[in-house]
Amino acid sequence: MKKRVFSGIQPTGDIHIGNYLAAIRHWAAMQDKYENIFCIVDLHAITVPQEPKVLKAKIREVSGLLIAAGIDPARSILFVQSHVSAHAELAWLLNCVIPMGWMQRMTQFKDKSQKQREQVTVGLFDYPSLMAADILLYDTDVVPVGEDQKQHVELARDTAQRFNSIYGETFVLPEPMIPDVGARIMGLDDPMKKMSKSESGSGHAINLLDPPEVIRGKIMRATTDSLREIRFDENRPGINNLLTIYQLFSGDNKAEIESRFEGKGYADFKKTLAEVVTEGLRPLQERYRELTAEPGRIDAILKDGADRARPAAEKTLKKVMDKIGLG
Ligand code: AQP
């Protein structure tokens, strides 16, 4: 029996190479090894304000990008979270099991609530409970994510354990799967901050649909340091981040890369990096254009995905309600 993978992505902002290198490309690569469910988590997206028309369009855009990046709807289930109501229902039930103290320790809420200030919603605080519901509904074994989501997957596991110990064996305990390289891609303008969709600076992130000249401009302006040596060094976050991006797109090892750029300047390295990233994204961009030229194709894939996800989700929800004594 193959293990089950579940992972999600928010249809917010522009999907960037951090999302791609740490999560999406691994999802695509592991499709034969695991049984896969990938979810466009629109209920998570509304934990911060969204423009309704933009949100609707982003759901299609992100779905199209996942398919263009290699998620095969024949081998994997791809669907939109709000199309399967069991996600919101289980989140409520888990709210009544998760202690407040666990939620108060979540660092992403602390970071995001500082950005939102007076607009912070209860939903933003409750985000990890909904994420636990997403994962636990499908008897998930493995959750491939970037480093920033590790704490939330651990909370899902702790929640499963707590529920099982109160009500008896119910949930499978999920494990996070974090890549060894590229688990946290940093912003090009500020390599101390993780690359993020919600950062506004035009030089912050390389987006998957950026044209070559935009990619080149962002990389040429990327923050480095006043040293000249092109070497992997965690104490030099700017150049280290660019080299990591180079490593992941080229597939070469660190020693090969360092010797290739020995004695070269930052400008030469950045030009080559821009070419490698542009070439790495070209097939994905072409497939995305082909896919979006066919009206209704993405909607049909998403409907089929929800129809395939729903029975498993409803079965788990019913089991949980029975255990709690509801209905
Ligand atoms: N900078 C990053 N480096 C590595 N992995 C990252 N991920 C996000 N940013 C980086 C991973 O991408 C997957 C999907 O992300 P998401 O949209 O569900 O969640 P997020 O972490 O909230 O993404 P962003 O880009 O930071 O968006 P905002 O600004 O809206 O918060 C996840 O596996 C995530 O770990």
Side-chain angles (χ1 to χ4, degrees):
M1 270 250 299
K2 285 183 182 175
K3 288 194 169 181
R4 164 85 45 92
V5 156
F6 178 96
S7 205
I9 186 160
Q10 297 188 69
T12 50
D14 292 319
I15 305 296
H16 53 68
I17 58 168
N19 304 129
Y20 176 69
L21 295 173
I24 301 170
R25 78 188 181 117
H26 294 289
W27 301 353
M30 59 175 56
Q31 285 177 104
D32 287 329
K33 189 165 175 213
Y34 296 97
E35 202 184 290
N36 309 279
I37 304 181
F38 301 116
C39 187
I40 311 298
V41 291
D42 54 349
L43 297 175
H44 280 99
I46 59 165
T47 57
V48 297
Q50 303 292 341
E51 180 61 43
K53 281 204 182 102
V54 176
L55 179 60
K56 237 182 197 332
K58 282 284 165 193
I59 291 169
R60 268 89 201 155
E61 181 185 299
V62 175
S63 307
L65 281 171
L66 294 190
I67 300 164
I71 303 299
D72 173 4
R75 280 184 291 162
S76 299
I77 294 179
L78 175 65
F79 75 106
V80 179
Q81 187 183 29
S82 65
H83 294 182
V84 177
S85 61
H87 288 251
E89 293 173 69
L90 182 61
W92 176 257
L93 303 180
L94 297 182
N95 276 338
C96 301
V97 172
I98 300 172
M100 276 294 280
W102 291 8
M103 299 286 266
Q104 280 161 338
R105 284 201 288 274
M106 296 295 110
T107 54
Q108 191 179 79
F109 175 73
K110 289 179 195 161
D111 295 345
K112 285 200 173 179
S113 57
Q114 266 166 17
K115 283 191 202 163
Q116 293 293 315
R117 293 180 186 274
E118 71 282 2
Q119 299 216 50
V120 180
T121 62
V122 177
L124 188 64
F125 181 72
D126 202 32
Y127 184 113
S129 172
L130 180 59
M131 183 161 158
D134 300 339
I135 295 167
L136 300 182
L137 272 177
Y138 299 100
D139 292 341
T140 302
D141 299 290
V142 183
V143 188
V145 284
E147 176 74 38
D148 60 319
Q149 292 293 338
K150 184 167 179 249
Q151 197 185 28
H152 290 165
V153 181
E154 286 167 353
L155 184 127
R157 186 185 170 85
D158 292 344
T159 304
Q161 232 156 5
R162 184 173 165 87
F163 190 96
N164 289 353
S165 72
I166 299 171
Y167 295 106
E169 218 43 45
T170 308
F171 292 124
V172 171
L173 304 188
E175 299 264 10
M177 183 194 276
I178 315 279
D180 295 334
V181 181
R184 183 176 284 265
I185 299 295
M186 310 308 280
L188 298 187
D189 55 347
D190 179 356
M192 300 307 285
K193 277 194 191 159
K194 90 162 181 142
M195 190 176 281
S196 175
K197 297 192 226 102
S198 51
E199 276 310 314
S200 50
S202 65
H204 173 76
I206 297 174
N207 303 320
L208 298 193
L209 293 174
D210 277 348
E213 62 283 7
V214 172
I215 294 176
R216 192 183 159 101
K218 286 178 180 176
I219 290 177
M220 296 312 287
R221 290 198 310 278
T223 303
T224 46
D225 53 39
S226 54
L227 303 172
R228 280 162 192 275
E229 228 185 338
I230 299 177
R231 253 193 327 109
F232 286 89
D233 180 351
E234 291 190 356
N235 297 317
R236 293 166 58 202
I239 192 69
N240 199 63
N241 188 41
L242 296 181
L243 280 165
T244 302
I245 295 169
Y246 186 95
Q247 184 186 2
L248 291 168
F249 273 104
S250 68
D252 297 337
N253 69 38
K254 289 185 177 181
E256 281 166 348
I257 297 168
E258 286 179 344
S259 87
R260 182 166 313 144
F261 292 104
E262 204 177 331
K264 301 249 169 71
Y266 284 168
D268 278 343
F269 166 63
K270 284 177 165 181
K271 270 185 213 148
T272 314
L273 173 62
E275 281 161 25
V276 168
V277 173
T278 301
E279 284 314 306
L281 293 179
R282 191 190 299 281
L284 181 156
Q285 296 186 347
E286 281 170 7
R287 280 196 295 271
Y288 179 79
R289 277 193 287 273
E290 284 163 21
L291 190 67
T292 48
E294 287 179 60
R297 170 99 190 273
I298 293 175
D299 281 345
I301 290 171
L302 294 176
K303 180 180 180 313
D304 175 64
D307 290 344
R308 284 155 66 203
R310 203 173 289 111
E314 286 178 355
K315 188 168 162 220
T316 306
L317 183 66
K318 173 150 190 348
K319 183 162 77 172
V320 171
M321 289 175 73
D322 282 347
K323 295 258 173 148
I324 297 176
L326 296 170

